[in-house]
């Protein structure tokens, strides 16, 4: 293998730049040419490709977003789109492709390798932490810390006004951001897709909290469950306690990556290049019990989250937040 390419795809996540840096510098250190592909699969099909040097990735380890830009492409979902992508890869002499993104991006990489002679390795870059095969995805820790910062601020105003504060965070199918930020921020209640919740119980807890002298009540809500505005309104109607909603939105996607995310991205980026050098393909890299691991893409995407660990954290948050 002489030339590899790297792209970022799907939603951006803090730490993607640190991963790009690791791919580029590990590749160059091993005598490879590394091509940067802009705007994900869309840019690949359009030939938006340039050679990267050590200095192309200078001064980016601390920056959020992705210097390669990210995009979603409907065309790449079709066999014709992937044929186009392969032809472009051939023109640039790219034999191995590192895809930084989520499950959709990995599926695209797998199909490309199934259909054409190109080796692919995926790196998990998504704030949701919704990939079961890895304990953490790049960007998750930063997103949790961003939410935590917001919670700390909301606590001040909630306490001053003795209000209920409902904070809606990202996570349509995976409640990890709400769970981790809620636990770290001392939330009274956490509502996530993985655990059943009962509205009457929630209101009972809020009222009991008030009786016990709690000055505020913080509820972390994963977006998949429904809107924060609606929930806050219903809580106010039932409990009579003033309730406000805050939707954090895309703020959670940005910001300088935490040390954890930078180190994770550096380790995973380096390992992805090593796998290509070993001639491997259709693999994804991840971290399990603090060890860097890799799996076949299909196998990885079929894995299920470790429910026990999740459940324990959830139960702990209930005991501590009460
Ligand atoms: P995030 O978790 O941030 O949403 P993702 O990688 O899952 O990231 P998607 O929008 O699902 O984001 O996928 C990114 C791109 O990958 C798509 O725009 C498309 O080009 C490609 N892709 C997704 N699913 C497929 C598929 N089934 N077949 C081929 N390509 C796909």
């Amino acid at each position: 293998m002489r030339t590899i390419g790297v792209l970022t795809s799907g939603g951006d996540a803090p730490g993607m730049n640190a991963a790009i840096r690791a791919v580029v510098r590990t590749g160059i250190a091993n005598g490879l040419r590394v091509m940067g592909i802009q705007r994900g699969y869309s840019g690949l099909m359009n030939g938006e490709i340039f050679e990267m040097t050590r200095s192309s990735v200078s001064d980016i380890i601390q920056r959020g977003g992705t210097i390669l830009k990210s995009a979603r492409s409907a065309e790449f979902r079709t066999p014709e789109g992937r044929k186009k992508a392969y032809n472009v890869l051939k023109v640039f002499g790219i034999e191995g492709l590192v895809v930084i993104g989520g499950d959709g991006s990995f599926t695209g990489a797998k199909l490309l390798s199934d259909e054409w002679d190109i080796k692919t390795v995926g790196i998990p870059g998504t704030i949701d932490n919704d990939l079961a095969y890895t304990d953490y995805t790049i960007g998750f820790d930063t997103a949790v810390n961003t939410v935590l910062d917001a919670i700390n601020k909301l606590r001040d105003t909630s306490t001053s006004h003795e209000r209920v504060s409902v904070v809606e965070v990202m996570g349509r199918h995976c409640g990890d951001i709400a769970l981790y930020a809620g636990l770290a921020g001392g939330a009274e209640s956490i509502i996530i897709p993985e655990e059943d919740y009962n509205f009457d119980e929630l209101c009972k807890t809020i009222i009991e909290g008030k009786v016990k002298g709690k000055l505020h009540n913080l509820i972390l809500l994963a977006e998949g469950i429904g809107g924060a505005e609606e929930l806050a309104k219903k809580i106010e109607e039932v409990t009579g306690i003033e309730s406000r909603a805050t939707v954090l939105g895309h703020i959670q996607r940005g910001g300088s990556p935490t040390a954890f995310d930078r180190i994770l991205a550096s380790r995973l980026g380096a390992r992805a290049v090593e796998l290509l050098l070993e001639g491997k393909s259709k693999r994804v890299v991840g971290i399990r019990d603090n060890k860097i691991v890799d799996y076949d893409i299909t196998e990885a995407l079929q894995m299920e989250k470790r429910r026990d660990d999740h459940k324990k954290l959830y139960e702990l948050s209930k005991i501590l937040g009460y």
Side-chain angles (χ1 to χ4, degrees), residues 39 72 97 253:
R39 298 182 183 80
R72 300 192 200 263
L97 182 64
R253 285 259 189 92

Side-chain angles (χ1 to χ4, degrees), residues 9-11 41 72-73 76-77 82 101-105 107-108 111 126:
S9 170
Y41 292 125
R72 300 192 200 263
S73 161
F76 189 78
R77 290 173 181 270
R82 292 191 292 273
D103 56 347
S105 305
T107 303
L111 291 173
T126 170

